[in-house]
Amino acid sequence: MSGPSTYVPKNAAARWLEQRLPILGFAHDSFVAYPTPKNLNYWWTFGAILSFMLVAQIVTGVVLAMHYTANTNLAFNSVEHIMRDVNWGWMIRYLHANGASMFFLAVYIHIARGLYYGSYKAPREVLWILGVVIFLLMMATAFMGYVLPWGQMSFWGATVITNLFSAIPLVGDAITTWLWGGYSVDNPTLNRFFSLHYLLPFMIAAVVGLHVWALHVVGQNNPAGVDIKDVAKDSVPFTPHATMKDALGISVFLMLFAWFAFFVPNYLGHSDNYIEANPLVTPPHIVPEWYFLPFYAILRAIPSKLGGVIFMFGSIAVLFVLPWLDTSRVRSATYRPLYKIFFWLFILCVICLGWLGSQPPEGGAVLAARILTAYYFIHFLVIMPLLGLFETTKPVPASIADAVLAKQAGQAGAAH
Amino acid sequence: MSNVATTTTMPNSAHPEPTRRDMLYLATGAVAAVGAGALAWPFIAQMNPDASTLALSSTEVDIGAIPEGQIVTIKWRGKPVFIRHRTKKEIEEAVNVDVAKLPDPQPDSARVKKPEWLVVIGVCTHLGCIPLGHQGPYDGWFCPCHGSAYDTSGRIRQGPAPRNLVVPDYAFLTPTKIKVG
Ligand code: HEM
Ligand code: FES
């Protein structure tokens, strides 16, 4: 992307186009010749998996929109119509509904990869921040999508989440009424959510464009956490190396996706969503989709309405400033023995919060959620800054080539 | 070339006082900002409740058939409204409370027009679930979502909800008929 292109048009038509719009050269430099660190592992295939999932959601979504009706009297039945009458409708809907879960699974692994290998550190701050923006847009998209089938969980999930805004002092109620277009979640709400659910994925696609642009300016991080110094020794061209590895990653991921979509299509959903929305009956236990559970647990852990909302949004906002909270000069956890332990504790903390988010808020569950919420923030606000100051790190290899050689030597040694 | 550049930039840097041109820029900018704001407003305001939603804003209910001790739920503005025919015991429980100690202090008398009839919007002031009647430690309502408990006056007593159940505008048209809204 930087410097003159190495692309050489192979025929007259390509040469003609290239002189007018250098798009072939751009694609060649970005996805063929682009130097990728030669030590990348499979955790680096999740970017490609995410891009694939975004396209999959858009394709299945556009098809669903051809058969779906965004009206409170018709929405629930139109989804049943998709399931029973539309040719292949059941498959397309199951792909879309489970696709959302797969999308989040992939994004959580992608974020965890970034946390482990310090991919958010200079000079990748903007790249990281764009990623957090994508994550927020994904959450908004999935939340509004879940409202569309107009089942009980759709309705009550929408009610609870839009009511979060009523916690804002003074203007909260006015904002909530404005979001609803009425005095409760109703037809105007459903209509606007559909409009926005259609729009946001394309905004995600635009931010993904910026994310990849930023990536190609600063270059990819890698398991050693050292930058490419010598292109010939430290890197390999994107195609065929990264292309093939990504293709394998996507294929394996698709097996998991297909298993959910075809064998247990309702496992990740909630059975209450097959009951049509009823504004006069709250289900006994409201839970969001699994991918929101850790944040839901944080919301409920705080015994104050405004406080819960602040902590819930804060738990994501803190990611924006992470590049400045981490004071360590070493990127990769491979060379940070203490951070490695704290990283896994943090992952465990989030998983436990997720489980607590699925439980009724009673007794021990509330206390546990409070302790883990505190730990979540302590991890970012206390442990990350202090660790950089006190941790004794292991020697970092001088280059990617050295890291690869050291690893091969280690494996050869172990084999003897 | 360099001469031209200096002569054209000189006047500005040498005279910091505002010129006629600065004034024009400012005036143009101000008009553009007001115009953009005026245009943005309709795009924001269109999301507020529309005329048809506002038109549905009152409902009449016959309460003659509600026996003592029962709660009836009606729908008003898309939300449930609880009409509770309170028993003697429930009225006493609502009245005999140290108001100052409540999370959202309000005497029962400020929440009812006639002591036997309590009319409240059936939406939990925490995050909007519908509380269940005759349940919870205060005999009023209990919200299953995050565990808020209300008393027989619909006041919040325990849990994350910050305020009492809201009393809507209503009036007795006859002793057995009320108009909500
Ligand atoms: C970022 C990408 C997207 C995500 C994460 C996403 C997520 C979701 C989710 C979670 C549901 C509820 C599924 C269910 O339980 O039935 C849903 C429904 C729906 N989505 Fe999307 N979506 C995305 C993109 C799109 C796009 C681009 C469109 C169309 C233009 C679309 C159209 C629909 C329609 C019509 C429904 C209602 C039918 C149904 O519930 O199956 N979606 N979406
Ligand atoms: S909505 Fe009632 S306690 Fe949260």
Side-chain angles (χ1 to χ4, degrees):
Chain A
M1 202 169 275
S2 42
S5 177
T6 56
Y7 173 65
V8 186
K10 290 205 180 65
N11 57 51
R15 200 156 35 245
W16 182 88
L17 179 63
E18 196 62 9
Q19 279 160 2
R20 286 154 181 85
L21 178 72
I23 191 169
L24 296 173
F26 178 72
H28 177 89
D29 294 347
S30 309
F31 302 110
V32 179
Y34 185 74
T36 44
K38 67 178 180 188
N39 57 342
L40 294 187
N41 56 32
Y42 275 98
W43 301 116
W44 263 264
T45 61
F46 280 84
I49 291 171
L50 284 162
S51 309
F52 177 88
M53 287 313 300
L54 178 60
V55 175
Q57 287 305 94
I58 290 179
V59 171
T60 51
V62 169
V63 172
L64 287 174
M66 294 179 188
H67 307 280
Y68 170 80
T69 315
N71 178 292
T72 49
N73 292 321
L74 304 169
F76 186 82
N77 287 335
S78 78
V79 172
E80 282 310 297
H81 160 75
I82 291 171
M83 296 300 287
R84 290 153 200 257
D85 305 337
V86 175
N87 302 328
W88 299 97
W90 60 272
M91 183 183 92
I92 292 159
R93 173 164 181 255
Y94 279 155
L95 289 177
H96 194 75
N98 287 283
S101 281
M102 292 297 119
F103 202 172
F104 276 93
L105 175 65
V107 88
Y108 284 131
I109 294 174
H110 192 66
I111 293 173
R113 188 279 318 261
L115 291 176
Y116 188 86
Y117 293 108
S119 300
Y120 47 86
K121 292 202 215 196
R124 297 188 179 80
E125 302 94 323
V126 172
L127 173 61
W128 172 260
I129 288 171
L130 288 167
V132 183
V133 170
I134 295 171
F135 179 46
L136 282 174
L137 287 171
M138 275 175 67
M139 293 173 98
T141 308
F143 161 65
M144 290 194 268
Y146 194 60
V147 178
L148 303 183
W150 207 243
Q152 274 289 65
M153 278 298 160
S154 300
F155 182 89
W156 291 101
T159 298
V160 167
I161 300 301
T162 48
N163 263 304
L164 294 180
F165 293 89
S166 71
I168 302 168
L170 303 177
V171 291
D173 285 331
I175 290 182
T176 316
T177 304
W178 177 75
L179 287 173
W180 288 337
Y183 302 101
S184 58
V185 173
D186 211 331
N187 198 48
T189 327
L190 178 61
N191 261 296
R192 64 191 56 180
F193 278 16
F194 183 44
S195 169
L196 295 173
H197 184 69
Y198 209 131
L199 169 70
L200 288 189
F202 296 92
M203 296 185 57
I204 295 177
V207 184
V208 169
L210 295 177
H211 188 71
V212 173
W213 184 9
L215 172 72
H216 284 198
V217 170
V218 295
Q220 281 168 288
N221 187 25
N222 56 76
V226 291
D227 290 324
I228 295 176
K229 284 171 191 141
D230 179 339
V231 171
K233 279 195 197 144
D234 294 340
S235 79
V236 289
F238 194 95
T239 300
H241 300 274
T243 323
M244 282 301 143
K245 199 161 185 157
D246 285 346
L248 180 59
I250 291 174
S251 305
V252 173
F253 191 78
L254 276 177
M255 289 184 201
L256 182 70
F257 181 10
W259 182 70
F260 273 108
F262 292 106
F263 292 91
V264 284
N266 291 306
Y267 179 71
L268 296 170
H270 197 295
S271 52
D272 274 5
N273 227 26
Y274 283 106
I275 303 171
E276 190 167 1
N278 181 351
L280 296 184
V281 179
T282 306
H285 181 204
I286 298 185
V287 278
E289 291 282 86
W290 70 267
Y291 37 81
F292 292 137
L293 287 173
F295 305 102
Y296 193 57
I298 292 176
L299 168 77
R300 297 190 309 183
I302 311 291
S304 125
K305 180 169 163 181
L306 181 60
V309 175
I310 290 174
F311 274 83
M312 187 182 71
F313 284 111
S315 64
I316 296 166
V318 71
L319 293 173
F320 280 109
V321 288
L322 177 61
W324 296 276
L325 290 174
D326 183 348
T327 50
S328 176
R329 277 181 287 121
V330 176
R331 272 197 204 116
S332 170
T334 313
Y335 309 106
R336 298 186 60 188
L338 282 179
Y339 175 62
K340 203 186 263 181
I341 296 169
F342 283 111
F343 168 82
W344 288 110
L345 283 178
F346 176 72
I347 298 291
L348 191 68
C349 166
V350 174
I351 292 174
C352 291
L353 275 172
W355 180 77
L356 289 168
S358 74
Q359 298 302 305
E362 296 155 356
V366 178
L367 182 67
R370 286 193 187 148
I371 294 171
L372 290 175
T373 298
Y375 185 77
Y376 182 102
F377 285 94
I378 289 171
H379 174 84
F380 286 112
L381 300 175
V382 181
I383 296 176
M384 291 304 269
L386 290 185
L387 214 51
L389 305 178
F390 296 111
E391 186 181 32
T392 323
T393 55
K394 290 196 209 158
V396 174
S399 71
I400 293 175
D402 284 357
V404 173
L405 285 177
K407 197 172 167 194
Q408 280 167 354
Q411 271 162 2
H416 286 302
Chain B
M1 267 315 278
S2 60
N3 274 344
V4 179
T6 31
T7 42
T8 49
T9 53
M10 271 307 273
N12 275 341
S13 44
H15 301 282
E17 306 99 72
T19 63
R20 219 168 97 87
R21 176 149 301 194
D22 289 335
M23 187 57 213
L24 285 173
Y25 276 139
L26 211 69
T28 315
V31 170
V34 171
L39 192 62
W41 179 244
F43 285 86
I44 295 168
Q46 53 83 20
M47 280 175 67
N48 268 324
D50 59 29
S52 72
T53 307
L54 293 172
L56 294 173
S57 49
S58 79
T59 311
E60 287 181 15
V61 200
D62 193 344
I63 56 172
I66 307 175
E68 205 179 278
Q70 260 201 25
I71 307 173
V72 162
T73 307
I74 59 147
K75 202 171 158 189
W76 173 66
R77 286 176 159 186
K79 293 180 185 183
V81 169
F82 298 144
I83 303 174
R84 183 169 187 153
H85 193 168
R86 299 193 292 184
T87 61
K88 282 253 146 38
K89 179 168 162 273
E90 287 169 348
I91 299 173
E92 273 163 27
E93 278 170 2
V95 175
N96 299 331
V97 164
D98 184 355
V99 173
K101 288 206 179 112
L102 297 177
D104 182 6
Q106 224 183 0
D108 186 57
S109 56
R111 298 178 52 80
V112 291
K113 294 200 158 82
K114 296 182 181 174
E116 311 87 81
W117 295 102
L118 174 72
V119 181
V120 286
I121 296 181
V123 172
C124 180
T125 60
H126 182 226
L127 295 173
C129 294
I130 299 180
L132 306 168
H134 298 297
Q135 285 194 32
Y138 295 90
D139 210 18
W141 283 271
F142 180 75
C143 182
C145 286
H146 317 101
S148 291
Y150 298 88
D151 65 13
T152 54
S153 186
R155 287 172 301 203
I156 179 67
R157 301 296 288 270
Q158 178 184 308
R163 277 170 291 131
N164 301 334
L165 293 179
V166 176
V167 178
D169 277 339
Y170 70 96
F172 279 89
L173 299 177
T174 71
T176 61
K177 195 172 216 173
I178 61 169
K179 181 175 158 219
V180 182

